[in-house]
């Protein structure tokens, strides 16, 4: 029976068939283990059968309670405690079931691990693990018995599923190629409509989620930037302390998720009352013990399944890298995909995905949340290194689509309906890197154009993959009320602390080199060069104010001319004392304040909204002295990143500025023009508040559900005075 036919069977039939099949596999596995391991003793076949039945009942009846009681330890042990508890279940079974004996706990643990691996492997091969119907039913029954649970509400909630880094054109390509049948069904059955929207100049998650979740991304020029007023401090969006500081600035307490909201795996919370894996609240110890984690650990085989799938993904990554070398795929990043990268990728594509999906299943089964927002970073991570439409990247989309189908089925089984909205925060543009094309980094180019004695600090790699690890370690180590594990981690990482954060991977290597005097530290630098995809930022720290064009030409003659004439540079944004903000190109100048071009238009290859977006960035308090955007060739559809990433985002040019929104048709989206994450926030918030108003009216005696009119078309602002109101 194929997967689709299996799912068409009644729930009780699927449950019974799955139980018999998996039980048989576990039975044969135990018999095989007993015949091959000396420390495992089995009297006969019937003893093995009784043991399998005992373990099945123990997992069904006792495991949810055990997982609930030990949840904080399961989380803080990164899940590995679940393996030990599973071994304990087998050891207990050997004490209660005659004819089964383990010489010691280790043999019980090893048998439990082998059985779990066979369970996961068989379920995956037979494609019957996607429903996880049995353990989801256990979870649902557990939630229904919660004493504080209110009666289920019938007004729909909203579930936002963000696919980080996926552009609208690549999404359409994936749907046409059969990689995303769940999303394709949403379109073909007429339940949803797909539209593109346009990002701000800073096309990266920091600015995008600040705008989408809080309606305010002003003063966020890039993924990282310098604040001269704070002593030339470097702010990085995915560092928990910095993310928390950013959220305090942008939040008015009424974000997209403020009304009974849930934030899952996001950069910012959206003012949600419940947040899990959210960077801006990572220092809150309560997040580690959130009951939402119970969904993941309610299945005793979930962690083993995730570890197994991580191993498969690591193999897939190695094979993908070798395939690109064998087929001479260009561009490619073979060196960046070595070492620990396969493990880091697997953590993003599998571990974070599985925890997030199971947490969402818990949310929709519980039914208390009015609005939920979750980010899936898997595609963004793989596309950075493999390419935006590489087979590996499209395979990740296939896996995400399956995960969304699981969430759909959970909604169908729950007591409250939820409307699903799928969206992205930005896209990615592809091309060989700046260093691959020209043989030097942005910092090395700038060094050639500045006096030799000038000390320069650079950070040209975002390291989003290592950022997940750093956030988790910092979370455990820097708690105000540290646990035993927290104290151990804090002691072990004391030499890795920088600005109150634990540094790992390449960032720790940078810190160590700076402490040894081999690299210039930011506090000792006279110039700081940063990169955010194809966006470069230069700050001269000897001045507390933003330098003007005239000042830079006086102090650093030849710098601006050298940069603007380089073939890898598309345009520079700089402020002139005489003319205001300017976009400088190799053959022309765009006078942004006067909307006038002299010579060739340096913004001709970019969006028609580029002048408006640049005028807005020019208003930022922390705008760089020089903002550099790489070239973009619209015919070849490629540009270049200043980071070592072949799929990139951060500035202007190409599909990085074309994310998508897949929303229910009754939201009234047709030909809206949506420019900027703040405007998208207003559209989404209107719909969320309309549903809340619908519920409030429905609860009034004698009142029925109101009719919600379609959202009005959104138009973009075209002048600086309007931009100040954003």
């Amino acid at each position: 029976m194929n997967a689709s036919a299996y799912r068409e069977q009644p729930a009780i039939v699927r449950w019974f068939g799955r139980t018999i099949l998996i039980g048989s596999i576990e039975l044969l596995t135990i018999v095989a283990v007993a015949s091959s391991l000396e420390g495992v003793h089995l009297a006969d076949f019937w003893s093995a059968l009784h043991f399998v039945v005992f373990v099945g009942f123990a997992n069904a009846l006792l495991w949810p309670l055990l997982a609930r009681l030990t949840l904080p330890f399961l989380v803080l042990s990164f899940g590995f405690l679940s393996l030990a508890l599973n071994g304990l279940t087998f050891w207990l079974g050997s004490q209660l079931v005659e004819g089964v004996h383990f010489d010691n706990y280790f043999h019980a643990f090893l048998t439990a691990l082998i059985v779990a691996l066979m369970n996961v492997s068989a379920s995956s091969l037979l494609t019957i693990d996607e429903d996880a119907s049995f353990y989801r039913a256990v979870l649902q029954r557990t939630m229904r018995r919660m004493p504080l649970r209110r009666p289920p509400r019938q007004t729909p909630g909203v579930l936002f599923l963000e696919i980080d880094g996926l552009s609208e054109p690549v999404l359409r390509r994936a749907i046409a190629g059969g990689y995303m049948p769940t999303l394709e069904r949403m379109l073909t059955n007429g339940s949803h409509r797909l539209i593109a929207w346009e990002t701000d100049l800073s096309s990266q998650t920091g600015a995008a989620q600040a705008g989408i979740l809080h309606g305010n991304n002003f003063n966020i020029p890039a993924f990282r930037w310098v604040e001269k007023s704070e002593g030339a401090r470097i702010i990085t969006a995915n560092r928990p302390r910095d993310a928390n500081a950013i959220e305090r600035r942008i939040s008015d307490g009424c974000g997209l998720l403020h009304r009974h909201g849930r934030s899952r795996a996001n950069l910012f919370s959206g003012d949600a009352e419940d947040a899990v894996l959210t960077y801006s609240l990572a220092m809150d110890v309560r997040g580690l013990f959130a009951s939402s984690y119970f969904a993941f650990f309610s299945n005793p085989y979930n962690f083993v399944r995730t570890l197994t799938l991580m191993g498969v993904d690591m193999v897939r990554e190695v094979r993908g890298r070798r395939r690109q070398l064998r087929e001479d795929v260009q561009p490619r990043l073979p060196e960046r995909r070595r070492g620990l990268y396969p493990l880091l990728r697997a953590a993003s594509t599998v571990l974070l995905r599985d925890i997030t999906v199971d947490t969402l299943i818990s949310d929709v089964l519980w039914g208390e949340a009015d609005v939920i927002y979750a980010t899936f970073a898997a595609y963004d991570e793989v596309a950075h290194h493999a390419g935006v439409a590489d087979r590996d990247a499209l395979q990740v989309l296939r896996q995400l689509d399956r995960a969304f189908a699981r969430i759909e089925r959970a909604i169908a089984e729950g007591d409250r309906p939820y409307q699903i909205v799928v969206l992205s925060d930005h896209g990615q543009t592809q091309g060989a890197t700046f260093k691959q094309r020209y043989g030097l980094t942005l910092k090395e180019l700038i060094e050639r154009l500045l006096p030799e004695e000038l000390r320069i600090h650079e950070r040209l790699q975002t390291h989003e993959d290592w950022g997940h690890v750093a956030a988790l370690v910092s979370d455990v180590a820097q708690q105000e009320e540290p646990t035993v594990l927290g104290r151990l981690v804090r002691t072990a990482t004391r030499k890795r602390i920088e600005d109150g954060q634990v540094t790992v991977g390449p960032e720790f290597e940078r810190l160590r080199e700076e402490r040894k005097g081999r690299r210039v530290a930011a506090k000792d630098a006279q110039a700081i060069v940063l990169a955010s995809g194809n966006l470069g930022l230069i700050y001269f720290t000897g001045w507390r104010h933003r330098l003007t064009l005239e000042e830079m030409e006086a102090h650093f003659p030849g710098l601006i001319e050298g940069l603007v004439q380089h073939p890898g540079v598309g345009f520079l944004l700089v402020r002139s004392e005489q003319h205001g903000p300017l976009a400088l190109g190799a053959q022309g100048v765009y006078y942004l304040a006067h909307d006038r071009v002299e010579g060739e238009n340096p913004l001709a290859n970019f969006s028609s909204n580029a002048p408006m977006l640049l005028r807005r960035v020019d208003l930022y308090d922390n705008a760089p002295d020089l903002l550099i955007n790489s070239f973009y060739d619209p015919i070849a559809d490629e540009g270049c990143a200043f980071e070592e990433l072949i799929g990139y985002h951060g500035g202007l040019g190409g599909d990085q500025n074309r994310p998508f929104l897949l929303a229910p048709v009754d939201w009234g989206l047709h030909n809206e023009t949506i420019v900027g994450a703040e405007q998208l926030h207003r559209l989404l918030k209107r719909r969320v508040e309309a549903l809340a108003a619908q519920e409030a009216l429905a609860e009034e005696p004698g009142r029925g559900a109101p009719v919600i009119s379609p959202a009005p078309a959104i138009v973009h602002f075209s002048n600086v005075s309007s931009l100040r109101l954003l």
Side-chain angles (χ1 to χ4, degrees):
M1 180 182 297
N2 60 32
S4 59
Y6 167 77
R7 295 190 184 105
E8 290 174 359
Q9 298 295 320
I12 186 64
V13 174
R14 285 190 281 120
W15 174 83
F16 185 76
R18 184 187 192 280
T19 301
I20 295 298
L21 183 57
I22 295 300
S24 300
I25 293 171
E26 292 180 353
L27 176 62
L28 294 175
T29 302
I30 289 176
V31 171
V33 170
S35 63
S36 57
L37 288 181
E38 294 183 358
V40 181
H41 307 281
L42 185 63
D44 51 39
F45 177 84
W46 296 108
S47 297
L49 178 60
H50 293 159
F51 183 78
V52 168
V53 172
F54 171 84
V55 170
F57 275 103
N59 285 339
L61 302 177
L62 298 179
W63 185 271
L65 176 62
L66 192 61
R68 176 66 69 183
L69 293 174
T70 62
L71 186 60
F73 303 99
L74 289 171
V75 176
L76 288 174
S77 69
F78 306 103
F80 283 95
L81 179 61
S82 64
L83 300 181
L85 292 178
N86 207 19
L88 186 62
T89 302
F90 273 60
W91 174 257
L92 179 63
S94 69
Q95 306 302 307
L96 299 177
V97 177
E98 293 185 5
V100 179
H101 176 71
F102 300 107
D103 285 353
N104 50 50
Y105 170 79
F106 172 76
H107 287 95
F109 171 83
L110 186 59
T111 303
L113 182 60
I114 294 173
V115 168
L117 288 172
M118 289 301 299
N119 181 307
V120 169
S121 300
S123 297
S124 298
L125 289 173
L126 297 170
T127 66
I128 61 175
D129 66 322
E130 296 295 335
D131 279 322
S133 55
F134 180 74
Y135 290 106
R136 191 157 67 223
V138 172
L139 174 65
Q140 192 170 13
R141 287 197 302 271
T142 301
M143 289 182 165
R144 284 174 175 166
R145 294 168 182 166
M146 291 287 185
L148 299 179
R149 188 171 189 258
R150 296 185 296 179
R153 293 140 69 186
Q154 297 306 310
T155 304
V158 182
L159 175 58
F160 293 101
L161 304 175
E162 179 190 300
I163 304 178
D164 187 11
L166 180 60
S167 68
E168 184 258 357
V170 174
L171 172 61
R172 291 189 182 276
R173 178 173 176 177
I175 291 175
Y179 288 95
M180 308 195 79
T182 303
L183 269 59
E184 181 181 18
R185 174 172 42 78
M186 292 179 180
L187 290 173
T188 56
N189 68 12
S191 67
H192 286 67
R193 185 182 299 274
L194 174 63
I195 64 172
W197 61 282
E198 186 174 345
T199 66
D200 302 277
L201 169 61
S202 182
S203 55
Q204 46 81 32
T205 304
Q209 285 204 351
I212 295 171
L213 293 173
H214 290 278
N216 180 7
N217 61 6
F218 198 77
N219 267 335
I220 302 180
F223 184 78
R224 59 164 63 94
W225 66 88
V226 172
E227 298 199 339
K228 290 186 177 183
S229 61
E230 299 292 330
R233 180 185 172 211
I234 298 177
I235 303 294
T236 304
N238 73 340
R239 298 182 67 184
R241 287 186 185 274
D242 290 347
N244 182 265
I246 294 169
E247 180 164 323
R248 290 200 305 270
R249 298 177 187 178
I250 63 177
S251 173
D252 62 0
C254 297
L256 182 65
L257 311 182
H258 83 284
R259 187 186 298 275
H260 305 301
R262 306 289 187 267
S263 170
R264 307 302 186 220
N266 301 317
L267 197 56
F268 303 111
S269 75
D271 296 318
E273 62 185 26
D274 184 298
V276 172
L277 296 174
T278 299
Y279 280 83
S280 62
L281 301 180
M283 309 309 291
D284 186 349
V285 66
R286 293 172 298 177
L288 284 174
F289 307 140
S291 59
S292 300
Y293 283 114
F294 174 67
F296 180 73
F297 292 108
S298 64
N299 183 339
Y301 296 133
N302 254 359
F303 185 65
V304 176
R305 175 181 181 273
T306 296
L307 284 181
T308 303
L309 294 178
M310 286 179 67
V312 172
D313 192 76
M314 292 170 67
V315 172
R316 182 179 292 119
E317 162 58 26
V318 172
R319 292 180 62 185
R321 176 175 58 82
R322 291 177 177 174
R323 170 182 55 80
Q324 288 193 338
L325 287 169
R326 184 175 62 255
E327 298 176 0
D328 194 25
V329 174
Q330 297 293 341
R332 62 175 184 263
L333 291 171
E335 296 304 320
R336 287 270 298 171
R337 299 173 70 176
R338 298 181 185 274
L340 289 176
Y341 175 71
L343 177 60
L344 294 171
R345 165 182 152 158
S348 176
T349 58
V350 179
L351 179 60
L352 289 177
R353 180 199 67 204
D354 284 1
I355 292 177
T356 303
V357 167
D358 283 358
T359 301
L360 292 176
I361 288 175
S362 170
D363 290 332
V364 300
L365 291 179
W366 181 257
E368 289 292 317
D370 288 342
V371 55
I372 309 166
Y373 195 105
T375 299
F376 293 87
Y379 169 81
D380 189 66
E381 173 61 39
V382 176
H384 275 320
H385 296 83
V388 298
D390 185 81
R391 274 176 272 174
D392 273 6
L394 294 176
Q395 182 62 30
V396 168
L397 292 180
R398 187 194 301 276
Q399 294 163 352
L400 284 178
D401 188 85
R402 291 174 178 170
F404 293 170
R406 286 185 61 204
I407 296 170
E408 265 195 327
R409 290 193 289 274
I411 293 173
E413 294 174 7
D415 297 322
R416 183 184 185 184
Y418 277 88
Q419 293 185 340
I420 293 179
V421 179
V422 187
L423 74 162
S424 59
D425 53 348
H426 55 77
Q428 287 194 25
T429 305
Q430 185 158 312
T433 70
F434 187 84
K435 184 177 181 180
Q436 287 176 334
R437 291 173 184 270
Y438 308 111
L440 77 170
T441 66
L442 178 62
K443 182 246 188 179
E444 290 168 343
L445 171 62
I446 292 171
E447 275 183 325
R448 296 181 181 184
L449 300 172
L450 290 175
E452 291 184 4
E453 65 274 11
L454 201 72
R455 297 189 301 276
I456 301 176
H457 173 83
E458 96 281 357
R459 296 193 193 179
L460 301 181
Q461 284 297 138
T462 300
H463 300 304
E464 289 182 270
D465 41 15
W466 282 102
H468 301 311
V469 180
L472 182 59
V473 175
S474 295
D475 198 355
V476 176
Q478 303 299 311
Q479 297 164 6
E480 294 181 2
E481 301 176 9
T483 61
V484 174
L485 178 62
R487 285 191 288 269
L488 290 174
V489 174
R490 179 178 295 183
T491 301
T493 60
R494 64 185 183 279
K495 295 183 179 180
R496 294 173 173 262
I497 302 297
E498 181 184 37
D499 296 331
Q501 295 292 124
V502 177
T503 58
V504 297
E507 283 297 292
F508 176 62
E509 292 300 318
R510 172 192 59 77
L511 179 62
R512 186 163 56 182
E513 291 291 297
E514 290 176 4
R515 288 173 173 173
K516 293 180 179 180
R518 297 173 182 171
R519 295 179 63 172
V520 177
K523 62 183 178 62
D524 300 321
Q526 296 163 299
I528 296 178
V529 180
L530 307 175
S532 181
N534 71 323
L535 202 64
L537 300 88
I538 305 177
Y539 293 86
F540 293 101
T541 57
W543 291 265
R544 297 296 294 270
H545 66 278
R546 180 183 174 191
L547 291 185
T548 64
L549 169 68
E550 292 80 4
E551 288 176 311
M552 280 186 281
E553 288 183 333
H555 293 290
F556 310 111
L559 171 62
I560 292 177
E561 181 67 16
L563 286 173
V564 82
Q565 293 299 328
H566 192 280
V569 173
F571 64 85
L572 306 179
L573 173 65
V574 63
R575 169 166 280 275
S576 167
E577 294 176 4
Q578 182 179 0
H579 303 290
L582 304 175
L584 305 178
Q587 304 297 327
V589 180
Y590 199 125
Y591 294 86
L592 295 165
H594 309 289
D595 205 24
R596 177 173 62 87
V597 177
E598 186 176 287
E600 295 183 8
N601 183 359
L603 304 180
N605 290 338
F606 302 92
S607 164
S608 60
N609 292 308
M612 177 190 71
L613 299 174
L614 288 171
R615 283 192 287 267
R616 184 172 190 245
V617 171
D618 179 69
L619 298 174
Y620 290 0
D621 299 330
N622 47 37
D625 299 317
L626 267 177
L627 186 144
I628 308 167
N629 200 100
S630 79
F631 84 95
Y632 174 68
D633 182 345
I635 297 176
D637 188 25
E638 66 177 22
C640 65
F642 298 120
E643 301 182 77
E644 289 306 295
L645 301 172
I646 59 174
Y648 66 84
H649 56 88
L652 295 180
D655 288 348
Q656 64 179 319
N657 306 125
R658 285 182 59 83
F660 71 90
L661 176 65
L662 182 69
V665 292
D666 61 8
W667 282 32
L669 300 177
H670 297 288
N671 297 312
E672 283 78 7
T673 299
I674 305 174
V675 181
E678 292 181 350
Q679 295 184 51
L680 179 61
H681 166 86
R682 287 192 286 274
L683 182 150
L684 301 180
K685 191 171 182 181
R686 270 201 299 272
R687 302 307 301 166
V688 169
E689 291 181 344
L691 287 171
Q694 178 184 11
E695 180 177 23
L697 289 174
E699 290 177 352
E700 292 184 17
R703 297 291 295 271
V707 177
I708 303 177
S709 59
I714 296 182
V715 297
H716 60 79
F717 298 96
S718 58
N719 58 72
V720 174
S721 61
S722 295
L723 285 167
R724 291 180 184 274
L725 300 176
L726 293 175

